[in-house]
Amino acid sequence: STLDGIMNSTNLIIAGKTVVIAGYGWCGKGMAMRAKGMGAVVVVTEIDPIKALEATMDGFSVMPMDEAAKIGDVFVTLTGCSDVITEKHFKVMKDGVLLANSGHFDVEINKQELASLSTEIFDRKPNITGYRMSDGRIINLLAEGRLVNLAAGNGHPAEIMDMSFAIQAKSLEYLAKNRGKLEKKLYSVPVETDIAVAELKLRTMGVGIDKLTEAQKEYLEKVD
């Protein structure tokens, strides 16, 4: 849905472009994989050494945003943090770059600093705002820096949301069944709930998996 928002808004292809993915969590991994599948040269930026190593082993170039800012054609932030792309990055970006956020509120790309560098701010197309720099370069911000897949695309696919809603419903069921037994604190979703939803989803997809035999269960218990 992120690529849907970007491509529908711009009428541009992804193939052949350098796409910079900020953040290699679940969303970043999916975006990187899909962009690569559409023919992009994918660069990943990260602050977590483990995720950076994962991205490297998955075949992506990994570098700091300071370096990626100079070479990217399309930037997508998926971090859940603020100030991922800031003034120092805008100053070195190519003319015509596309900036999109698909990870959090409209704070991942610092719009205030982008505006302060601009000599002109103008609408180019629906969901595309152009920021003209003093040297003539234009930086394009999609969907005002808000979640591009929601603001400019069709949003989360139903085949994803059914799992999300199922997890929420099963979690509410867990709370109801354990009313009066829980402390006032944040609880992780029980692993049994995750498993139940995964099994249900696989069944609706017609996908079967193996099961441990009793002998295998006994062996694993001994190993543990």
Side-chain angles (χ1 to χ4, degrees):
S1 60
T2 296
L3 284 167
D4 167 50
I6 293 171
M7 296 176 72
N8 276 333
S9 296
T10 63
N11 196 30
L12 297 173
I13 61 172
I14 299 299
K17 292 182 173 62
T18 297
V19 176
V20 178
I21 309 294
Y24 203 65
W26 289 115
C27 294
K29 288 177 180 178
M31 177 64 194
M33 178 171 58
R34 266 56 182 187
K36 181 179 180 180
M38 297 188 78
V41 176
V42 178
V43 173
V44 171
T45 69
E46 252 297 343
I47 51 88
D48 184 327
I50 295 175
K51 293 188 181 301
L53 182 59
E54 287 179 351
T56 300
M57 294 300 186
D58 286 342
F60 301 114
S61 297
V62 177
M63 64 185 71
M65 182 60 77
D66 288 2
E67 296 177 22
K70 302 173 185 177
I71 62 173
D73 299 305
V74 181
F75 293 79
V76 186
T77 56
L78 303 111
T79 71
C81 194
S82 63
D83 295 328
V84 179
I85 300 179
T86 61
E87 180 178 0
K88 63 179 179 178
H89 305 125
F90 302 136
K91 288 181 176 179
V92 298
M93 286 180 172
K94 298 178 183 179
D95 179 33
V97 297
L98 305 175
L99 306 182
N101 167 48
S102 194
H104 191 49
F105 302 114
D106 59 338
V107 295
E108 299 206 24
I109 300 167
N110 194 311
K111 298 189 293 183
Q112 291 73 29
E113 291 183 352
L114 179 57
S116 69
L117 290 173
S118 305
T119 59
E120 181 186 5
I121 301 174
F122 57 101
D123 291 332
R124 307 201 71 180
K125 287 180 63 179
N127 291 316
I128 306 177
T129 304
Y131 291 78
R132 193 184 303 278
M133 303 291 103
S134 58
D135 58 6
R137 288 178 301 119
I138 297 176
I139 293 176
N140 300 291
L141 180 65
L142 306 187
E144 299 180 354
R146 303 184 189 281
L147 290 167
V148 70
N149 63 322
L150 297 177
N154 287 314
H156 307 302
E159 293 153 306
I160 297 300
M161 293 311 297
D162 63 353
M163 288 185 284
S164 178
F165 292 144
I167 289 287
Q168 293 174 40
K170 294 291 288 183
S171 295
L172 290 172
E173 180 186 47
Y174 175 83
L175 291 175
K177 288 182 176 179
N178 289 277
R179 183 173 182 269
K181 303 176 185 178
L182 303 174
E183 299 177 43
K184 293 181 180 179
K185 67 176 186 179
L186 181 66
Y187 285 85
S188 297
V189 174
V191 65
E192 294 81 9
T193 297
D194 281 330
I195 291 173
V197 172
E199 288 177 339
L200 181 61
K201 180 67 175 181
L202 288 171
R203 194 155 62 246
T204 63
M205 296 171 68
V207 177
I209 61 173
D210 290 320
K211 292 185 178 181
L212 293 172
T213 64
E214 291 302 317
Q216 288 174 319
K217 290 178 182 178
E218 290 178 11
Y219 173 78
L220 290 174
E221 287 173 1
K222 291 177 183 177
V223 173
D224 290 341

